[in-house]
Amino acid sequence: MVCKNCGKALGNQAATCPFCGSFISSDQVSSYVSMKKEKEKDLRPRLVSEQYGMDPIKYEIQNSKTNTKLIGVLFVVGILVIVFLIAVLILF
């Protein structure tokens, strides 16, 4: 549950917010009870953040085009270094 006044997380047994002292409304309690019943029906495994009412972590997928460009640039630089080394060996 989250306090409507200050927005901080509350314990399940709290009647008042320990941070700002405001009372928990009956609307919050009833919505929490109904949400808890729905979650008990859901048997899928949950992240710890989901279990304790926090927003789940959002993972970003890296763009493969960026990785492809980086590999191409490194390949070109590698070839240039090899050509430079060969030219130095031939000249000296």
Side-chain angles (χ1 to χ4, degrees):
M1 245 185 333
V2 178
C3 177
K4 284 187 176 181
N5 189 31
C6 66
K8 295 191 178 179
L10 302 173
N12 297 340
Q13 306 299 328
T16 61
C17 177
F19 302 103
C20 68
S22 66
F23 286 102
I24 307 304
S25 68
S26 60
D27 296 344
Q28 278 184 299
V29 173
S30 62
S31 67
Y32 174 75
V33 169
S34 64
M35 179 184 68
K36 190 75 171 166
K37 286 180 182 176
E38 288 297 320
K39 281 191 175 182
E40 288 174 357
K41 291 178 186 176
D42 186 14
L43 298 177
R44 69 178 175 86
R46 289 185 286 280
L47 296 172
V48 173
S49 60
E50 288 181 86
Q51 187 175 2
Y52 292 103
M54 299 165 48
D55 290 335
I57 300 170
K58 296 178 182 171
Y59 297 98
E60 294 181 13
I61 299 173
Q62 289 183 346
N63 190 352
S64 61
K65 290 181 181 180
T66 304
N67 292 341
T68 306
K69 288 180 183 179
L70 179 63
I71 291 170
V73 168
L74 291 175
F75 182 73
V76 170
V77 169
I79 290 177
L80 290 175
V81 168
I82 292 172
V83 169
F84 177 74
L85 290 175
I86 292 172
V88 167
L89 289 174
I90 291 174
L91 293 176
F92 294 108

